[in-house]
Structures are given as C-alpha cells and as structure tokens.
C-alpha cells in the first residue's frame, strides 16, 4: 500500500510541475503514465486477493 501512495504522490508532483512550468508538458505526460501504471498495479493486487483459495 505504501508503494501505491508513493507512486500517487510522484504522479501528482510531476503533473503539477508539468502544468505550472512553461515548456515542461512532458512531465505532465510522465505523471499521467505513472498514475495509470499505479492504478493498474493496484487493480492487479486487488484481483489477486479477491480470489478464494482452493
């Protein structure tokens, strides 16, 4: 769970810097990619936990 929060914070910081600084839009794009990767990671982890043991 701490990895999720760390990646979420990194994505937020990169997105804010990318939008605030002129000419650094690529940081916003990198932040968006990190956010999507973070959400996929959490989805995979939740999917693994949700399956009952046989």
């Amino acid at each position: 769970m701490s990895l999720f929060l760390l990646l979420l914070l990194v994505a937020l910081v990169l997105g804010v810097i990318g939008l605030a600084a002129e000419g650094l839009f690529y940081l916003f794009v990198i932040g968006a990619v990190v956010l999507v990767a973070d959400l996929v990671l959490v989805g995979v982890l939740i999917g693994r936990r949700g399956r009952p043991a046989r």
Side-chain angles (χ1 to χ4, degrees), residues 25-49:
F25 185 71
Y26 66 92
L27 285 179
F28 175 73
V29 173
I30 292 172
V33 169
V34 169
L35 178 64
V36 169
D38 188 30
L39 293 176
V40 167
L41 175 68
V42 168
V44 167
L45 291 176
I46 288 175
R48 262 190 214 168
R49 285 188 197 162

Side-chain angles (χ1 to χ4, degrees), residues 6-33:
L6 176 68
L7 287 175
L8 189 64
L9 181 65
V10 167
L12 181 68
V13 168
L14 285 175
V16 168
I17 292 173
L19 288 177
E22 190 174 327
L24 293 178
F25 185 71
Y26 66 92
L27 285 179
F28 175 73
V29 173
I30 292 172
V33 169

